[in-house]
């Protein structure tokens, strides 16, 4: 799995675009969340602006968010969720345990080996760890046409910012959890949606592979993609992917 957690510049770049991130990033599938929700308490790790935290709160869970970026954490708190500012590796759990631990679009930003070493100790008996990602794949215009428009365009895909690693990374993650004594079923719940071109273009610049480009390259990428779209809407094949780890 690409060790993205080592790139702290990218990992901590989201606070500069926190409002856009919260407004534009897709919510997780209700079908998925209904299936993975368990117990009464949850820790949402790498909570960002609290998108997943709020969805879990809406399902009756008492949620504690953990987020390393102070600007993102502030938006989480504004949404009514308690949030502690720390990386997962440095976070002091103070012997608290949880029925559900979630990583929404965030596990690739932590040291997987370090995380696996402490997750079991944070779970209540019968609890589960759930890793979630939203995958957004343009179908019209085609993703291949968009990729051909600029070498700076990176698929908005699951697990990592590099789609060529996505399936491999999921397999490797499952194997890592299984070696640590977890059973790890996987599910994917799909939907389709259509977004206005400008909104989709705003959305893709909330992903660090695009948002951290130099300003001139960001402008060039946006112009190249807008030309391919041609002023129409963008149709998306979307899904929420979940790895559900329990012991």
């Amino acid at each position: 799995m690409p060790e993205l957690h080592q790139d702290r510049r990218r990992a901590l770049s989201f606070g500069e675009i926190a409002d856009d991130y919260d407004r534009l990033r897709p919510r997780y599938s209700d079908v998925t969340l209904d299936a993975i929700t368990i117990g009464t308490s949850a820790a949402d790790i790498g909570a960002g602006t609290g998108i997943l935290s709020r969805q879990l709160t809406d399902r009756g869970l008492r949620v504690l968010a953990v987020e390393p970026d102070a600007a993102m954490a502030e938006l989480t708190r504004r949404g009514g969720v308690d949030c502690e500012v720390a990386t997962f590796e440095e976070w002091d759990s103070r012997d608290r345990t949880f029925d559900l631990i979630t990583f929404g679009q965030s596990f690739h930003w932590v040291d997987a080996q370090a995380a696996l070493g402490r997750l079991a100790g944070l779970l209540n008996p019968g609890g589960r760890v759930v890793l979630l990602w939203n995958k957004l794949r343009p179908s019209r215009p085609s993703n291949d046409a968009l990729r051909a428009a600029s070498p700076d365009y990176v698929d908005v895909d699951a697990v990592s910012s590099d789609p060529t690693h996505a399936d491999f990374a999921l397999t490797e993650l499952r194997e890592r959890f299984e070696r640590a004594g977890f059973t790890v079923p996987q599910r994917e719940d799909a939907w389709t949606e259509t977004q206005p071109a400008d909104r989709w273009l705003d959305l893709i610049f909330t992903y660090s592979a695009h948002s951290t480009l130099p300003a001139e390259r960001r402008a060039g990428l946006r112009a190249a993609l807008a030309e391919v779209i041609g002023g129409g809407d963008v149709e998306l094949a979307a899904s929420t992917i979940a790895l559900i780890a329990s012991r």
Side-chain angles (χ1 to χ4, degrees):
M1 182 177 181
E3 299 294 349
L4 288 177
H5 73 275
Q6 296 177 354
D7 190 342
R8 301 317 296 169
R9 180 183 72 92
R10 279 181 61 179
L12 296 175
S13 67
F14 297 100
E16 298 175 6
I17 55 171
D19 289 329
D20 284 346
Y21 186 105
D22 194 60
R23 175 174 60 90
L24 296 164
R25 283 293 185 105
R27 276 43 182 169
Y28 297 92
S29 163
D30 287 332
V31 175
T32 308
L33 295 189
D34 289 343
I36 64 95
T37 297
I38 187 173
T40 61
S41 61
D44 186 23
I45 310 299
T49 61
I51 291 171
L52 176 57
S53 298
R54 295 192 298 270
Q55 289 185 274
L56 294 174
T57 298
D58 289 344
R59 283 164 171 77
L61 294 178
R62 183 177 67 258
V63 179
L64 173 66
V66 179
E67 166 56 41
D69 190 299
M72 301 284 271
E74 179 57 29
L75 281 184
T76 298
R77 294 189 188 108
R78 288 185 207 169
V81 179
D82 290 337
C83 187
E84 298 179 3
V85 178
T87 64
F88 181 60
E89 295 84 353
E90 297 173 346
W91 173 55
D92 182 2
S93 68
R94 304 200 300 276
D95 295 323
R96 291 167 291 184
T97 56
F98 306 88
D99 299 320
L100 177 66
I101 299 173
T102 55
F103 292 82
Q105 210 83 17
S106 63
F107 195 77
H108 48 283
W109 295 119
V110 306
D111 182 338
Q113 197 60 39
L116 285 167
R118 71 180 302 202
L119 281 171
L122 292 168
L123 283 175
N124 290 328
R128 60 176 54 149
V129 179
V130 181
L131 281 51
L132 295 149
W133 293 271
N134 279 328
K135 179 168 66 174
L136 302 174
R137 181 58 61 92
S139 56
R140 188 179 62 85
S142 73
N143 202 54
D144 288 344
L146 293 165
R147 191 186 295 117
S150 170
D152 283 327
Y153 174 66
V154 174
D155 294 5
V156 177
D157 212 333
V159 183
S160 78
S161 295
D162 183 348
T164 63
H165 292 97
D167 292 339
F168 168 77
L170 285 168
T171 299
E172 183 181 341
L173 278 175
R174 248 189 344 265
E175 291 174 351
R176 285 193 183 194
F177 272 87
E178 287 168 353
R179 288 195 296 269
F182 291 87
T183 59
V184 196
Q186 177 179 332
R187 65 178 294 140
E188 182 170 359
D189 297 293
W191 72 93
T192 59
E193 65 178 84
T194 300
Q195 294 189 6
D198 283 343
R199 189 185 194 283
W200 182 80
L201 289 167
D202 289 345
L203 166 65
I204 69 162
F205 284 97
T206 68
Y207 289 82
S208 61
H210 298 147
S211 67
T212 58
L213 290 170
E216 184 175 340
R217 285 171 62 185
R218 287 200 308 272
L221 172 59
R222 186 174 184 119
L225 297 176
E227 184 174 356
V228 173
I229 298 168
D233 293 334
V234 178
E235 293 182 0
L236 300 170
S239 63
T240 295
I241 297 172
L243 296 186
I244 306 165
S246 57
R247 293 171 85 93

